[in-house]
Amino acid sequence: MKKRINLQYMILTTVAIIATAVMFTAVFYNIIKNETLTDLSNYTDVLVSSDAWGIVSNPESIDDKNVTANYCGEIRITLVNDKGVALLDTEVDAYSMENHKERPEIMQAFNEGKGKAIRKSKTVQKDALYYAVLLDNGCVLRASKEVSNMTSLLISSLPVTGALCVVLFMICGVFSHFLTKSIVEPIEFLARNMDAPESVKVYKELVPFVTTIRRQHEDIMKNANMRQEFTANVSHELKTPLTSISGYSELIENGMATGEDITRFAGEIHKSSKRLLTLINDIIRISELDATSIDESFEKVNLYDVAKSCVEMLSLNAEKNNINVSVTGEDVYVSANAQMMEELIYNLCDNAIRYNNDGGKVDVIVKHYEKNGKEGSMVQVSDNGIGISKENQERIFERFYRVDKSRSKSTGGTGLGLAIVKHIIAKHPDAHIELESEEGKGTTIRVIFC
């Protein structure tokens, strides 16, 4: 990551330096061009004001058509009459020159009084900068300077410009290294200290990222602890019925049980195996709920029909425990997973039957729900059983947590029923659960869909 960020910074630096150098050269060239035009203009004004060679008072009387070039230095002077015929030139024989009336700077001077251009001279075959001015006698006086002189000035500045670019590149390289390090260092520190992410000091732009990592790390650690605890609890829960089965079967195998003992031991083996199968089924189901995504197949489900079906399935079990189970309400439809809704209501009713008193009752109510202006649907399961103390109410949805362990084992409870309910609620974003209970008086659990 460091190399990639550093490389990107260096590429950006290189592009920026090259762009700056090009812009600097363009600006410098433009400044030189403007200064050269100003010099040509000033030079022309001096020639006109001093009437050098009589170009203003009597241009046609000029005998020497070739004025010495040394007199003018690097500047070429040309005088053209109103017909475009060259009368004077400091570098070329004026008689041999073409008609200049079509030259851009000459045409502009005739039309506007002044003219300028940068072009290749047809006479001397060199690129030059031209400045022309219209005189009072109708002639045009033109001054020019080769562009090569300007170019050579720019070329002479290239070593300095190149050296400056190299220095800037090196400085930017150093800054890029430290900047990359400052960006990556908090992330690397976080990677090395995942167990203490709160100790990581980061700049404000990285706070959301670190917060997300911290939250995910906490969730991972929490889930890991839960799975470890779950594995330990599963091992413990499976050990009890297996020990019972192993012990009773060993007594029978060794001939230590006779007559009525064999029948009783077989009943205990059957009871433990049944509890073992129930436990395994619940473990498998809760693992499936953990593994599957939230995008389950939802459909239109009638909660009242599901509730009646669950009560019918549990009627025999209720009779054995001398519990009266009733279901009332109305047809209520929700968007949900049908199998999960059946498991949810079944587990709530089964739990209410298991933790009830002899001769107790369980009331299942399905109806439309309205509270604080919000409308929805509700499934409510109430019992007048043993109830749940305040300190236990927050933990009853945990896996293998039992309020009364002796009662749970005697009735065949696995301690996973309400944990499955909690997982099912989590799979339905529109649902939430409410609990009301008082020790010794009973429990009411509501599942509300909004």
Side-chain angles (χ1 to χ4, degrees):
M1 185 177 180
K2 273 186 179 180
K3 289 183 179 179
R4 186 174 181 181
I5 295 175
N6 210 19
L7 178 62
Q8 290 177 344
Y9 272 130
M10 296 312 297
I11 291 173
L12 183 62
T13 298
T14 303
V15 172
I17 290 175
I18 292 174
T20 303
V22 171
M23 290 176 62
F24 170 77
T25 303
V27 171
F28 188 46
Y29 180 82
N30 195 51
I31 291 174
I32 295 176
K33 182 187 75 174
N34 291 334
E35 287 185 353
T36 303
L37 283 172
T38 302
D39 290 342
L40 292 176
S41 174
N42 293 335
Y43 195 89
T44 304
D45 290 341
V46 170
L47 289 178
V48 173
S49 62
S50 64
D51 195 17
W53 313 305
I55 58 178
V56 178
S57 59
N58 190 14
E60 298 294 341
S61 65
I62 298 175
D63 293 328
D64 187 0
K65 302 287 185 174
N66 296 300
V67 181
T68 305
N70 293 333
Y71 179 81
C72 303
E74 296 180 351
I75 298 176
R76 177 188 172 194
I77 301 298
T78 306
L79 181 66
V80 179
N81 65 15
D82 57 353
K83 295 179 182 179
V85 177
L87 303 177
L88 179 147
D89 194 282
T90 58
E91 292 188 9
V92 182
D93 182 4
Y95 287 115
S96 64
M97 294 173 64
E98 298 178 358
N99 191 291
H100 277 48
K101 198 167 187 178
E102 300 299 324
R103 300 292 195 271
E105 69 280 359
I106 302 294
M107 291 177 62
Q108 189 178 7
F110 278 128
N111 294 328
E112 303 175 11
K114 294 180 181 180
K116 57 185 177 180
I118 298 178
R119 61 179 179 81
K120 186 173 184 178
S121 172
K122 294 182 179 180
T123 304
V124 297
Q125 297 297 312
K126 294 179 180 179
D127 292 327
L129 184 63
Y130 294 94
Y131 180 83
V133 61
L134 181 63
L135 304 178
D136 294 337
N137 57 22
C139 295
V140 171
L141 180 64
R142 184 186 70 181
S144 65
K145 191 172 184 178
E146 291 183 14
V147 174
S148 59
N149 295 328
M150 297 165 55
T151 305
S152 62
L153 183 61
L154 288 174
I155 292 174
S156 66
S157 67
L158 287 179
V160 177
T161 304
L164 182 61
C165 289
V166 171
V167 172
L168 287 174
F169 185 83
M170 293 174 65
I171 293 173
C172 290
V174 174
F175 277 107
S176 173
H177 172 74
F178 285 106
L179 183 60
T180 302
K181 185 178 179 181
S182 67
I183 292 173
V184 176
E185 188 173 18
I187 301 175
E188 292 179 336
F189 184 81
L190 180 64
R192 295 192 301 267
N193 299 272
M194 287 300 293
D195 293 332
E198 64 280 351
S199 63
V200 181
K201 295 180 180 180
V202 297
Y203 39 88
K204 63 180 182 180
E205 290 83 3
L206 201 59
V207 169
F209 173 71
V210 173
T211 302
T212 302
I213 291 180
R214 181 182 298 140
R215 189 182 300 115
Q216 290 177 345
H217 179 67
E218 289 173 354
D219 290 341
I220 290 171
M221 295 302 295
K222 183 179 178 181
N223 289 334
N225 291 334
M226 287 178 60
R227 289 183 181 278
Q228 186 176 4
E229 184 180 353
F230 180 65
T231 302
N233 287 333
V234 167
S235 301
H236 177 73
E237 294 294 332
L238 291 176
K239 185 177 180 181
T240 303
L242 284 173
T243 301
S244 177
I245 293 171
S246 177
Y248 285 123
S249 61
E250 185 178 1
L251 289 174
I252 296 173
E253 181 185 22
N254 294 332
M256 298 177 67
T258 58
E260 294 180 359
D261 288 338
I262 294 177
T263 303
R264 183 169 62 86
F265 290 170
E268 291 296 332
I269 291 173
H270 180 261
K271 181 181 177 181
S272 295
S273 61
K274 187 176 179 181
R275 170 174 164 73
L276 187 61
L277 286 173
T278 304
L279 186 61
I280 291 172
N281 287 332
D282 283 350
I283 291 170
I284 291 172
R285 184 54 184 151
I286 205 166
S287 298
E288 289 174 349
L289 290 171
D290 274 338
T292 53
S293 66
I294 199 169
D295 298 325
E296 302 290 342
S297 57
F298 284 12
E299 57 186 288
K300 194 174 183 180
V301 179
N302 188 337
L303 294 180
Y304 185 62
D305 286 345
V306 176
K308 287 194 296 183
S309 175
C310 291
V311 169
E312 289 176 4
M313 286 189 286
L314 288 166
S315 59
L316 184 59
N317 187 37
E319 288 179 9
K320 288 181 179 178
N321 291 278
N322 194 25
I323 305 297
N324 180 42
V325 183
S326 65
V327 56
T328 58
E330 56 189 326
D331 290 333
V332 171
Y333 292 91
V334 296
S335 178
N337 181 278
Q339 179 187 352
M340 289 186 181
M341 287 301 100
E342 183 176 329
E343 287 181 273
L344 183 144
I345 297 176
Y346 183 93
N347 277 294
L348 289 177
C349 294
D350 183 59
N351 211 63
I353 293 171
R354 291 181 187 278
Y355 294 93
N356 214 316
N357 298 315
D358 185 45
K361 65 176 182 177
V362 175
D363 296 322
V364 183
I365 302 174
V366 181
K367 63 179 182 179
H368 289 92
Y369 172 85
E370 184 175 355
K371 186 177 181 180
N372 299 327
K374 292 184 178 180
E375 295 183 356
S377 307
M378 180 185 75
V379 176
Q380 176 177 295
V381 179
S382 302
D383 66 70
N384 60 347
I386 63 173
I388 307 168
S389 62
K390 292 291 184 181
E391 59 270 19
N392 286 317
Q393 287 182 17
E394 294 182 358
R395 300 193 60 190
I396 63 168
F397 293 101
E398 295 179 10
R399 302 171 185 184
F400 297 111
Y401 186 80
R402 301 181 180 89
V403 176
D404 187 340
K405 295 183 179 180
S406 59
R407 174 187 285 264
S408 177
K409 291 186 177 181
S410 65
T411 58
T414 63
L416 292 173
L418 291 182
I420 292 174
V421 169
K422 180 183 176 182
H423 275 67
I424 292 173
I425 294 296
K427 299 289 183 180
H428 294 76
D430 296 334
H432 69 276
I433 194 165
E434 295 179 355
L435 170 68
E436 291 179 7
S437 185
E438 186 175 347
E439 194 170 8
K441 293 187 177 181
T443 302
T444 296
I445 297 179
R446 301 184 192 91
V447 178
I448 299 170
F449 295 82
C450 294

